[in-house]
Amino acid sequence: MKMKLINTNNVLKTTLSRLVNEYENISFAVAWASAGTKIFNEVIRKRKNIHKSVIGTHFYQTHPDVLDAFVDDQKIHFMLQPNGVFHPKIYLFWNENEWEALKWEALIGSANLTVGALTNNSEVMV
């Protein structure tokens, strides 16, 4: 198993873009999400590949356009947690086919699917 430390916004954006476009299955759980980023637009274009995902809404940090984009999607669950904070940041990507064994990659760390995480915040993912 090979691990890589992602500690710049550019590497995070490049890595997420590659993973969203390379893998046929996507799942993620994030505390918040923003619309209007290149990565979010790629996720929308690949929405048929989303297996199951959860997006938090606490503190009104998830953009209303994200809610609109996924409101009728049974594969996306919005976490409305009145006590405490739903606060994960995990992304899982995988392929399965008859010619290759299960291939997967995961990102675990501090980056939500937000403008801040992809531009100005100091985030770390493994």
Side-chain angles (χ1 to χ4, degrees), residues 23-109:
Y23 285 91
E24 59 195 41
N25 295 289
I26 302 168
S27 285
F28 57 88
V30 293
W32 305 299
S34 300
T37 65
K38 177 183 178 236
I39 301 302
F40 183 76
N41 292 338
E42 289 176 350
V43 168
I44 292 295
R45 280 194 301 276
K46 297 288 190 163
R47 72 182 305 143
K48 67 177 176 40
N49 295 5
I50 297 174
H51 183 70
K52 184 176 256 189
S53 293
V54 183
I55 301 170
T57 60
H58 215 71
F59 304 123
Y60 306 103
Q61 293 297 311
T62 292
H63 195 278
D65 290 345
V66 174
L67 301 173
D68 287 343
F70 293 122
V71 70
D72 293 324
D73 194 324
Q74 298 300 309
K75 299 177 290 181
I76 305 290
H77 177 73
F78 291 104
M79 179 60 71
L80 308 171
Q81 184 172 334
N83 297 316
V85 178
F86 180 72
H87 212 246
K89 289 97 174 163
I90 184 166
Y91 305 80
L92 180 62
F93 305 87
W94 72 98
N95 285 340
E96 296 178 71
N97 65 44
E98 58 192 81
W99 299 285
E100 87 181 82
L102 179 66
K103 178 183 174 188
W104 64 274
E105 291 184 60
L107 295 177
I108 302 169

